Amino acid sequence: MPSPTDTDTDVSALPPPAEPRRGGTWLVVLVVLAAAAGWLGWRQWQSQEHSRAEQADVQIDALMQRVDTVRSEQRSHSRRLQQADSLNRVLRDELNGIGQRAALLEESVAKLADSNRHGAQALRLDEAEMLLTLGAQRLDVAGDLDGARRAYALAEGVLAGIDDPAFLSLRQTLQQERAGLDALGADPRVRAIARLEVFARQVTAPAGGTRAATPAQGSWWERAFGNLVRVQPTDRAVAVQPADRAAALAGLQLEISLARAAAERRDRDGYRGALSRADAWLQRLTPGSAELARQRAALRQIAALPLTVSLPTLGSTLVQLRQLRTR
């Protein structure tokens, strides 16, 4: 067993315990602080980048809105330019129309300022030209001979108020044309209708009287044997019975009425066609008699009557007036 002296010697001979190193701790602390500072810096940088990204997004949205606004304004400007272009075209057309009207007004003023075209004289010439045109149209289109005569008479009265010697030959031509109108007499249509009326009365009157007077006014054998013997034609187309004669006479009167209506319209073909059918009805009423021959000849004369007025010199005054005015 060791002695106490030996124990003390061994303990004293041991080295003293080492003190803890303070430098490593500070290094760890510094590393931790650096890491914390780096992490805080990274977080701050990340937040800054995030805010910058948000600001960039906001700026991009604002720019897109401004671009949309600019595009809408551009479209509105384009529409306004198109409207202005169309308005300019309209204004250009109106300006051209105003220029044309101004040219016409200048021409009219020049005509009025002409010493050969006085205001009252021009009005009289216009009135005379209108009356001559009206008279020619009334005669050509409607066949109104009386209306044409009245229009030409009024035109002569208007031209009589013009004292210009240049229109002396015009008044002479108008007088000759009026003389030609007066020489035509009555309207051919009126004459044809009057002849038809006379013919209708002549055809209707003998139809009832001839049949009753036949026994007393016929030949001696008709007067002797008229009550015993009845002579009838073999042609069935001849109307003998009273009912047939009445029907034939009604057909004749109907065709004469149709011819009268065609004459009113100046329908030459309808007029002649109706009178041709009336001639067939006449042959059924009085066949093979002298009265029939006379009536058919009268009917042919009526059918040959003209329905329109023919005046080759009509309108010569109007042509001469227009030539004088153009000079």
Side-chain angles (χ1 to χ4, degrees):
M1 205 173 154
S3 60
T5 307
D6 294 336
T7 304
D8 293 335
T9 303
D10 291 336
V11 172
S12 61
L14 288 175
E19 295 180 359
R21 297 181 179 178
R22 296 181 178 180
T25 303
W26 286 108
L27 181 62
V28 172
V29 172
L30 291 175
V31 170
V32 170
L33 291 175
W39 182 80
L40 290 175
W42 178 79
R43 291 291 296 175
Q44 186 178 1
W45 175 82
Q46 188 177 10
S47 63
Q48 291 177 356
E49 290 295 328
H50 182 68
S51 63
R52 289 176 183 175
E54 290 180 353
Q55 291 177 0
D57 292 336
V58 172
Q59 291 177 357
I60 290 173
D61 293 337
L63 288 175
M64 293 299 294
Q65 291 178 358
R66 291 186 63 184
V67 169
D68 294 337
T69 305
V70 170
R71 288 178 179 175
S72 62
E73 290 179 355
Q74 183 181 4
R75 287 193 294 268
S76 64
H77 288 317
S78 299
R79 288 194 296 268
R80 290 177 182 176
L81 287 176
Q82 292 177 357
Q83 293 175 359
D85 190 13
S86 61
L87 181 61
N88 288 333
R89 287 196 297 268
V90 172
L91 292 175
R92 191 182 302 111
D93 294 338
E94 291 182 355
L95 184 60
N96 292 332
I98 291 173
Q100 293 177 358
R101 287 193 292 270
L104 293 175
L105 289 174
E106 290 178 359
E107 184 179 358
S108 301
V109 171
K111 289 181 179 179
L112 291 175
D114 190 2
S115 59
N116 294 326
R117 292 178 58 87
H118 302 291
Q121 178 176 329
L123 291 176
R124 287 182 178 273
L125 291 177
D126 290 337
E127 184 179 0
E129 184 176 358
M130 182 190 67
L131 290 172
L132 291 174
T133 304
L134 179 62
Q137 290 178 353
R138 291 292 299 174
L139 192 59
D140 291 338
V141 178
D144 187 4
L145 184 59
D146 295 333
R149 287 171 179 168
R150 288 193 294 270
Y152 271 73
L154 292 174
E156 186 178 9
V158 171
L159 291 177
I162 300 177
D163 54 356
D164 192 348
F167 296 96
L168 180 61
S169 60
L170 180 66
R171 289 196 291 269
Q172 293 177 353
T173 305
L174 181 58
Q175 291 177 359
Q176 294 175 0
E177 197 167 358
R178 283 197 63 196
L181 286 173
D182 295 336
L184 292 176
D187 191 352
R189 177 179 59 184
V190 177
R191 290 201 302 266
I193 293 175
R195 291 284 298 276
L196 275 176
E197 295 289 345
V198 174
F199 179 78
R201 289 194 298 268
Q202 290 177 355
V203 170
T204 306
T210 303
R211 190 172 51 204
T214 299
Q217 298 178 358
S219 59
W220 63 271
W221 63 270
E222 290 178 349
R223 291 195 300 270
F225 303 102
N227 296 327
L228 300 176
V229 179
R230 177 179 297 174
V231 179
Q232 294 182 358
T234 57
D235 190 2
R236 293 185 178 180
V238 178
V240 178
Q241 299 298 326
D244 295 339
R245 291 185 63 82
L249 186 60
L252 176 62
Q253 294 296 331
L254 177 61
E255 296 299 338
I256 292 176
S257 300
L258 291 177
R260 187 184 300 112
E264 289 286 349
R265 300 192 308 270
R266 300 185 189 275
D267 185 4
R268 184 69 178 174
D269 296 334
Y271 177 73
R272 290 185 174 180
L275 292 182
S276 177
R277 293 189 296 270
D279 181 69
W281 285 113
L282 276 177
Q283 296 180 29
R284 291 196 62 186
L285 286 172
T286 56
S289 62
E291 182 68 19
L292 174 63
R294 187 186 65 80
Q295 290 176 352
R296 294 188 66 188
L299 194 61
R300 285 192 295 270
Q301 292 178 359
I302 295 174
L305 291 175
L307 298 178
T308 58
V309 178
S310 177
L311 187 62
T313 60
L314 183 66
S316 57
T317 307
L318 180 60
V319 173
Q320 186 176 357
L321 175 59
R322 288 174 178 173
Q323 291 177 353
L324 289 174
R325 298 195 69 181
T326 53
R327 292 176 187 173

